[in-house]
Amino acid sequence: MTLPYGSDDDHAADRFVNNALRSRDDETWRLLASDAYVEQTDRVLRAMLDRIAATRVHRTAERATARARALDGEISQAEYQRDAAEDANRATKTAHFETLVREHHRLIAAAARRLRGDDVRDELTDLVLALGSAVDAHRAAVLAGGAEPTAADRALWARLAALDVPGTSDGEGRTSVEELVQRHSTRQDDFGRVLAGIILDVAGDEPSVPRAALLTAWKREVAPMLAVEQKTEFAAKGKGSLVTEKLRKTMGHLERKGLVKRSGTPDEQRLDVLDRRGLEELADGTADPE
């Protein structure tokens, strides 16, 4: 069985997928998720989510304009309330449709990733990044200590400089491992600055803070820093929330810097402040890069 459009006709695919979302026919979705169509289906569903997001931004701007016109007396409060009610009704329908699209996209995106080998590639990239970061940290420790590097040290560092990795699933081209490590470290410090500030605000003069107490402020600060595509793709892997995963990794980053330490049980985890001055310097952007 084949679908009634070509692999390059995303316009026809969009119409077909739109109907399939409403009919929810299992056999149709098995075909849409097959190797022959899954990447196109993934592309079409992502485009739908993009349009929904753009419409939401446009609608928010329109409501703000209407609110200002009502306050200025250009339209009556009755007109404003009537339009607001209609808009709320449309927003509710859109939200239901978006939920439907996301439910199907999680399955389609996972199948597309498997077909492209993205999961394996990402795991290998993470492994190379972890090894490269360890070599980079070793180099920083040796040089900071003032010791003369051994021949083995220099050979290890030269290997780090010579290695590169192929393009990653998030669109990065072929990159040297050293550059990948430096970019990763910079991103980690960006998130680290956010978390350091939140810890200081929430903890006050206390020596530790419950992890749960950080979550609301973390989500508010970090969610806008992450692209919708990143969050959607991460959710499609079945690993939960990307924002929460960033918190876990950033806590580890601050631990490796010796600034905090996790304690307590997994259900009641706390973050103990080990170096308040270091947290302040990181939050202010005055800490020396490692």
Side-chain angles (χ1 to χ4, degrees):
M1 180 179 176
T2 60
L3 294 175
Y5 52 83
S7 60
D8 60 344
D9 190 352
D10 283 9
H11 184 66
D14 185 274
R15 292 198 304 271
F16 187 89
V17 170
N18 204 305
N19 290 329
L21 284 166
R22 290 168 169 79
S23 68
R24 305 193 186 193
D25 179 68
D26 290 342
E27 184 57 38
T28 297
W29 281 101
R30 275 192 288 271
L31 188 57
L32 286 167
S34 66
D35 289 357
Y37 295 103
V38 68
E39 291 198 86
Q40 183 183 37
T41 307
D42 177 50
R43 193 165 61 242
V44 166
L45 288 171
R46 281 189 284 110
M48 285 183 178
L49 291 171
D50 287 344
R51 290 197 299 271
I52 290 171
T55 299
R56 181 176 293 116
V57 170
H58 179 68
R59 183 182 296 126
T60 300
E62 284 189 330
R63 295 317 313 155
T65 299
R67 191 178 304 112
R69 292 182 65 203
L71 289 173
D72 291 342
E74 295 181 24
I75 59 175
S76 68
Q77 280 297 319
E79 289 176 302
Y80 172 72
Q81 293 297 336
R82 184 185 65 246
D83 290 347
E86 292 176 356
D87 186 70
N89 185 50
R90 287 194 299 269
T92 298
K93 291 179 180 178
T94 299
H96 288 322
F97 182 66
E98 181 180 12
T99 299
L100 187 61
V101 174
R102 291 193 182 281
E103 286 175 356
H104 284 80
H105 183 243
R106 277 195 291 272
L107 301 175
I108 292 296
R113 288 182 59 80
R114 285 193 296 271
L115 179 64
R116 294 191 298 262
D118 286 348
D119 289 337
V120 173
R121 179 174 57 187
D122 287 351
E123 287 178 15
L124 292 175
T125 299
D126 287 346
L127 176 60
V128 169
L129 180 58
L131 292 172
S133 296
V135 173
D136 186 60
H138 167 261
R139 176 173 57 189
V142 170
L143 296 177
E148 181 64 26
T150 66
D153 289 335
R154 295 190 183 281
L156 184 64
W157 302 343
R159 175 58 66 183
L160 176 64
L163 290 175
D164 62 7
V165 293
T168 59
S169 62
D170 58 5
E172 294 180 346
R174 195 167 193 93
T175 311
S176 73
V177 173
E178 194 161 26
E179 183 181 350
L180 193 65
V181 167
Q182 293 306 316
R183 285 210 301 258
H184 175 73
S185 178
T186 299
R187 286 196 295 266
Q188 286 290 83
D189 274 343
D190 288 341
F191 289 120
R193 274 189 284 276
V194 173
L195 183 56
I198 292 172
I199 292 171
L200 292 169
D201 287 344
V202 175
D205 295 329
E206 296 298 317
S208 71
V209 59
R211 178 187 183 278
L214 307 172
L215 195 54
T216 299
W218 174 260
K219 288 180 177 179
R220 183 176 62 249
E221 295 290 334
V222 170
M225 298 169 64
L226 303 172
V228 173
E229 295 80 5
Q230 287 179 287
K231 290 182 280 191
T232 301
E233 186 169 339
F234 187 83
K237 298 178 185 178
K239 296 182 179 180
S241 165
L242 179 58
V243 175
T244 304
E245 175 67 7
K246 290 294 184 184
L247 175 59
R248 184 186 68 79
K249 289 188 173 182
T250 305
M251 288 168 61
H253 183 60
L254 297 192
E255 280 187 305
R256 289 188 293 274
K257 285 178 171 288
L259 302 177
V260 299
K261 179 183 178 182
R262 278 174 278 197
S263 63
T265 65
D267 291 336
E268 297 183 2
Q269 194 175 81
R270 299 186 69 85
L271 218 56
D272 301 329
V273 177
L274 302 182
D275 183 354
R276 187 175 298 273
R277 176 67 178 274
L279 284 172
E280 291 171 349
E281 291 177 348
L282 179 57
D284 293 339
T286 57
D288 292 331
E290 296 183 358

